Amino acid sequence: MRQELTHVTPRRSSGFTLIELLVTLTILALLATLTLPVAQLALQRHRESELQHALRELRVAIDAYKQAYDQGRITHTVGASGYPPTLEILVEGVEDASDPKKKKIFFLRRIPLDPMTGAGVQSDGTNWGIRSYASEANDPQEGDDIYDVYTRSTAVGLNGIAYRRW
């Protein structure tokens, strides 16, 4: 009688070994470390784009108000520069002096928020720094009118220029 030897192979359990899990976690951590700065840069570029859009929208509205004033569509007042006295008036509208029905002229639907400060509209209706026509460009000051707007953020853009100088 011959005895047969049966060879029993050990069963391999399904799953991952501790080393495989550690290698996978290390790779994921490395990828996360590399993508975080890229994501932050993309977020900053997006906010800068929003700032450019908001500034353009406000400045176009201010210029449209001045043009309407120069065309006689807005009632002239003595000593006025022709620029809007507040940002709210761009939203509220002004009476068209050349229209017999005295309809209002509107320049903005709403005052855009400043994406750099994240500030909501303040009690005076603004969240922007305001430069009057009488102030110097390098030292913007508020006054009787609004000639230009700027962000109140003290941060510097990706281009190396302070946001408040945009």
Side-chain angles (χ1 to χ4, degrees):
M1 242 199 247
R2 191 165 180 216
Q3 203 175 22
E4 286 188 31
L5 294 173
T6 57
H7 187 278
V8 179
T9 57
R11 258 187 172 181
R12 184 169 163 109
S13 62
S14 59
F16 298 106
T17 65
L18 181 61
I19 292 175
E20 290 171 329
L21 286 174
L22 288 175
V23 168
T24 304
L25 288 175
T26 303
I27 291 170
L28 288 175
L30 180 64
L31 289 174
T33 305
L34 294 174
T35 58
L36 189 60
V38 172
Q40 289 173 337
L41 183 64
L43 178 63
Q44 185 173 0
R45 282 188 179 147
H46 177 71
R47 288 178 52 211
E48 286 184 359
S49 175
E50 285 180 352
L51 175 63
Q52 288 174 336
H53 178 73
L55 287 171
R56 188 176 313 115
E57 184 179 3
L58 286 166
R59 289 170 175 160
V60 165
I62 292 168
D63 291 343
Y65 183 97
K66 173 66 169 151
Q67 184 178 14
Y69 183 89
D70 291 344
Q71 293 171 346
R73 296 182 68 195
I74 298 174
T75 306
H76 288 226
T77 55
V78 176
S81 65
Y83 289 97
T86 64
L87 288 177
E88 298 82 25
I89 202 163
L90 300 173
V91 176
E92 295 166 2
V94 292
E95 193 175 274
D96 189 346
S98 65
D99 185 6
K101 295 182 181 180
K102 302 296 182 196
K103 291 184 180 178
K104 281 191 167 186
I105 309 169
F106 298 96
F107 303 96
L108 281 176
R109 290 185 179 166
R110 63 174 178 77
I111 299 170
L113 297 179
D114 184 346
M116 290 302 152
T117 61
V121 177
Q122 305 297 319
S123 60
D124 64 353
T126 66
N127 57 336
W128 297 94
I130 294 172
R131 175 183 168 210
S132 74
Y133 183 72
S135 72
E136 296 292 325
N138 56 358
D139 184 29
Q141 300 293 320
E142 292 187 27
D144 296 333
D145 57 13
I146 298 174
Y147 178 71
D148 196 13
V149 292
Y150 58 91
T151 182
R152 295 180 191 263
S153 172
T154 57
V156 176
L158 292 172
N159 60 2
I161 299 172
Y163 289 131
R164 69 175 303 150
R165 300 298 229 164
W166 284 27

